Amino acid sequence: RIPWYSRLCMAAVSSGFLILSAAGKSVLFQDLPQDTIRWIGFSALVCIGLMQLFGERISRRIGKTTSRILAPVRVGAAVFLDHTRADSDHSHVLSMPESVVLAIPVSIDSLIGGLGVSASGSALLFLFGIAWIWNFFAVWCGRWFGTKIPIPSERARSAFCGVVLIALGCWKLV
């Protein structure tokens, strides 16, 4: 279960990533060509799609590493691939800190998406508000559809999502 306040928190993290990358782009990469942004978006969506398709293998490989530097990657990959691992106290209710742990790896697309935004200043605050509302309902819909659509297994759901993400990534290049 994801309470409304945890959904708000997840939406804020995702919206914050979008605004952070949009503001960073306007400061650091003002003249970033559109083709570069399209290739970055393509790469990100394909990587996320591949994570969905081959997540178990990737998780096993990352889990075998003992590097302290890769510890956040191990946690992020584990939570991204199995959202139930964010529920660290096994209460079946996602608390606010747990929702942040879940929101960070699943909001990477927002971080990349912000590179395509050409707003700055107060327009970013307006964009944050719109993105926050949109992301709140996206979390609600994702949870609702994730529990209501009769897909035979979690593996089939992940494969379907992976194929859709790779298709969206390829669409960015068209």
Side-chain angles (χ1 to χ4, degrees):
R1 213 172 61 83
I2 305 175
W4 66 270
Y5 51 85
S6 292
R7 289 185 209 143
L8 283 176
C9 187
M10 290 176 72
V13 169
S14 184
S15 302
F17 275 7
L18 179 75
I19 299 308
L20 179 68
S21 65
K25 180 210 171 211
S26 67
V27 172
L28 300 174
F29 308 112
Q30 285 181 334
D31 298 327
L32 195 63
Q34 282 298 331
D35 283 344
T36 304
I37 293 171
R38 289 172 57 200
W39 277 100
I40 291 171
F42 162 77
S43 301
L45 287 170
V46 168
C47 285
I48 294 170
L50 290 173
M51 284 281 289
Q52 289 290 336
L53 286 173
F54 304 109
E56 291 175 24
R57 292 181 193 150
I58 294 169
S59 183
R60 273 188 259 128
R61 293 256 169 124
I62 290 173
K64 289 179 182 178
T65 63
T66 57
S67 169
R68 300 184 94 183
I69 295 170
L70 291 179
V73 174
R74 279 194 304 274
V75 172
V79 170
F80 178 80
L81 296 169
D82 181 7
H83 296 29
T84 60
R85 293 184 77 180
D87 185 18
S88 60
D89 61 3
H90 306 290
S91 64
H92 300 287
V93 176
L94 210 59
S95 67
M96 285 182 72
E98 292 169 340
S99 69
V100 171
V101 170
L102 176 59
I104 290 172
V106 298
S107 297
I108 298 301
D109 59 335
S110 292
L111 192 61
I112 302 300
L115 295 175
V117 175
S118 61
S120 61
S122 62
L124 287 175
L125 292 176
F126 178 72
L127 179 63
F128 178 81
I130 297 297
W132 195 11
I133 292 167
W134 176 264
N135 287 328
F136 175 78
F137 286 110
V139 170
W140 181 82
C141 288
R143 189 202 166 282
W144 189 81
F145 283 116
T147 58
K148 302 294 182 200
I149 294 178
I151 295 179
S153 69
E154 186 63 33
R155 178 74 183 120
R157 187 185 319 269
S158 291
F160 175 75
C161 290
V163 169
V164 168
L165 286 166
I166 291 171
L168 287 172
C170 291
W171 183 259
K172 289 193 102 19
L173 295 181
V174 175

